[in-house]
Amino acid sequence: MNALSSRRAKRVILTGVAGLTALTLAGCASGSGGGGGDAGGPLVLYTWAASEGDQAQWADFIDGAKAEDPDLDITVEGPSFSDYWTKVKTRLSGSNPPCLLTTQAARAQELGDLLMPLDDLIEKSGFDIDSIDASMLSGMTVDGTIRAIPYDAEPIVLFYNVEAFQAAGLELPGTEYTRDRFIADAKALTDGEKKGLALAPGIFIPNAWSLADGVPAVTEDGELDLTNPDFVDQVQSFFDLVSVEQVAKAPEAADGSEVSQQAFTSGEVPMLIEGPWMYGSFADAADFTLGVTIVPSTSGEAAAMTAGSGFGIAANCERPDEAFAAIEALTSLSVQEKQAEARGIVPARIEALPAWAEGKTEGAADVVEALLADATPQRTTSTWNQVETLMTQYGVQGYRGELTAEEIMKTIENSVAG
């Protein structure tokens, strides 16, 4: 499971399992009407559906979609998130394959051959594609064609402890935050072993740091670009937060994301870079006011790496019109508003963003909106799990100053290429 998936899996589980009875799980969907080819039968959504949290999420989506289209008939099947990316390929080659699939923007290139281009269906149905976050649509585009309609658009943010900032006499950051100011704030909040920023291992957060300055780890063509000097410089500046600036502790390779999250919510560390989907969990766990600002950039202007998922149609689906109508219902404004309110996802529909603002601290929604105005999707490659594993392994030495970012990125890229 990559960094995003482990964070999202935890968030989904925390949301509870209300609505499970509304979801029909379709075993292996090998019987009549169980896939996508039999007219009049239910459409099957093949997705990550092994946990109760996953099942509850899809139940909520389908309940909301049925409110839009009472005749909608969807069943759900699928393995765990980590198994999905390999098993979906086998499932589509079996008998009576499903019509509906999920994907992350980060993995759309990997599943590109399995997903039907949607451009003609979008035009035919009159679907308002301009109402969907542009960065996520870009992430769902493969070979110039849209392969999935996103349901969320999550710009990575910096969470902070408002009371800790106030106690240190620091101005609260908002929709602008320079790296120089961030480092000065982090130093003011650091006292010996008590550091200003909590870190998790892996490449997810360093990638978000780099994209805040507009530098990707993967090109728009889907090519790994870890040894690009600009990306190397970005990663080195992130390593330097530990080895040079001394405002964070080096994470251990064995640490899960919950280690840094607990350090933040316990009040031990006052800042953490994470996805906005964690807001509700953090607010419930913390005894302080939760602040949200941008991942710091050199200029101080808001720019984000977005992460998110969406619904697509299997390339061999024999009922594409019905499948796209289902996607329209599943990604409708009312469904996304409900998901934003109940589960805290940042909706991909721009009009639904006010629903996410409900219950958040003042200014949080302004930050998210500013980030989405200049956002780049997280792009990965088919070898990304290997990149993540190697960065987790070698990154610790980078934080400790034992290896440079140039050495580590070269090692990772050569290992993946080999």
Side-chain angles (χ1 to χ4, degrees), residues 69-91:
D69 181 3
D71 295 328
L72 195 63
D73 191 4
I74 299 176
T75 58
V76 176
E77 64 162 287
S80 66
F81 184 98
S82 58
D83 289 338
Y84 174 79
W85 307 100
T86 53
K87 290 189 175 181
V88 65
K89 300 170 186 178
T90 303
R91 180 66 186 89

Side-chain angles (χ1 to χ4, degrees), residues 74-397:
I74 299 176
T75 58
V76 176
E77 64 162 287
S80 66
F81 184 98
S82 58
D83 289 338
Y84 174 79
W85 307 100
T86 53
K87 290 189 175 181
V88 65
K89 300 170 186 178
T90 303
R91 180 66 186 89
L92 287 178
S93 64
S95 62
N96 202 15
C99 257
L100 296 170
L101 306 175
T102 51
T103 186
Q104 291 186 328
R107 310 290 289 263
Q109 299 290 330
E110 182 180 342
L111 298 189
D113 291 342
L114 306 181
L115 294 164
M116 179 181 295
L118 301 181
D119 300 70
D120 289 345
L121 290 166
I122 289 169
E123 183 176 1
K124 181 179 178 180
S125 68
F127 184 84
D128 183 11
I129 204 68
D130 292 334
S131 67
I132 305 296
D133 176 72
S135 70
M136 287 304 300
L137 283 174
S138 174
M140 300 292 191
T141 298
V142 179
D143 294 333
T145 59
I146 297 171
R147 303 302 174 96
I149 302 298
Y151 59 77
D152 67 338
E154 313 273 7
I156 308 308
V157 300
L158 174 70
F159 288 98
Y160 65 91
N161 182 326
V162 170
E163 282 78 10
F165 267 68
Q166 292 172 333
L170 301 173
E171 180 183 353
L172 301 182
T175 57
E176 296 183 354
Y177 204 25
T178 67
R179 289 189 178 171
D180 286 345
R181 180 183 164 193
F182 160 73
I183 291 171
D185 287 349
K187 287 182 176 179
L189 293 164
T190 294
D191 184 9
E193 289 301 304
K194 184 176 181 180
K195 302 298 183 180
L197 177 71
L199 296 177
I203 199 165
F204 183 73
I205 299 303
N207 196 18
W209 173 270
S210 185
L211 276 172
D213 259 9
V215 181
V218 175
T219 68
E220 290 187 10
D221 296 330
E223 298 295 326
L224 202 61
D225 203 20
L226 300 181
T227 55
N228 174 354
D230 291 337
F231 183 74
V232 169
D233 288 346
Q234 290 289 327
V235 175
Q236 187 63 58
S237 70
F238 199 70
F239 285 160
D240 288 349
L241 295 177
V242 175
S243 58
V244 177
E245 307 297 350
Q246 299 183 3
V247 297
K249 293 180 181 178
E252 298 296 332
D255 288 351
S257 58
E258 67 275 3
V259 174
S260 57
Q261 292 169 0
Q262 289 171 2
F264 174 67
T265 57
S266 69
E268 177 187 345
V269 179
M271 291 191 286
L272 175 70
I273 298 173
E274 253 295 2
W277 57 84
M278 292 303 302
Y279 188 102
S281 299
F282 288 171
D284 289 343
D287 291 330
F288 54 82
T289 305
L290 200 61
V292 177
T293 186
I294 69 170
V295 175
S297 63
T298 301
S299 68
E301 296 178 357
M305 180 180 85
T306 48
S309 303
F311 299 104
I313 300 175
N316 57 356
C317 173
E318 297 180 5
R319 299 159 60 186
D321 290 322
E322 290 179 64
F324 192 75
I327 290 176
E328 288 186 277
L330 289 165
T331 61
S332 66
L333 178 60
S334 63
V335 171
Q336 293 207 8
E337 287 176 335
K338 180 182 177 183
Q339 290 293 317
E341 292 170 357
R343 296 179 176 275
I345 71 167
V346 177
R349 279 191 179 273
I350 300 164
E351 292 176 273
L353 188 58
W356 184 85
E358 291 295 323
K360 306 299 189 297
T361 51
E362 184 179 357
D366 292 335
V367 168
V368 168
E369 187 173 352
L371 288 169
L372 289 178
D374 186 7
T376 303
Q378 182 198 22
R379 288 189 173 90
T380 66
T381 65
S382 59
T383 59
W384 197 251
N385 284 342
Q386 188 178 355
V387 171
E388 177 70 33
T389 298
L390 291 169
M391 182 63 170
T392 299
Q393 176 184 348
Y394 293 113
V396 174
Q397 294 173 275

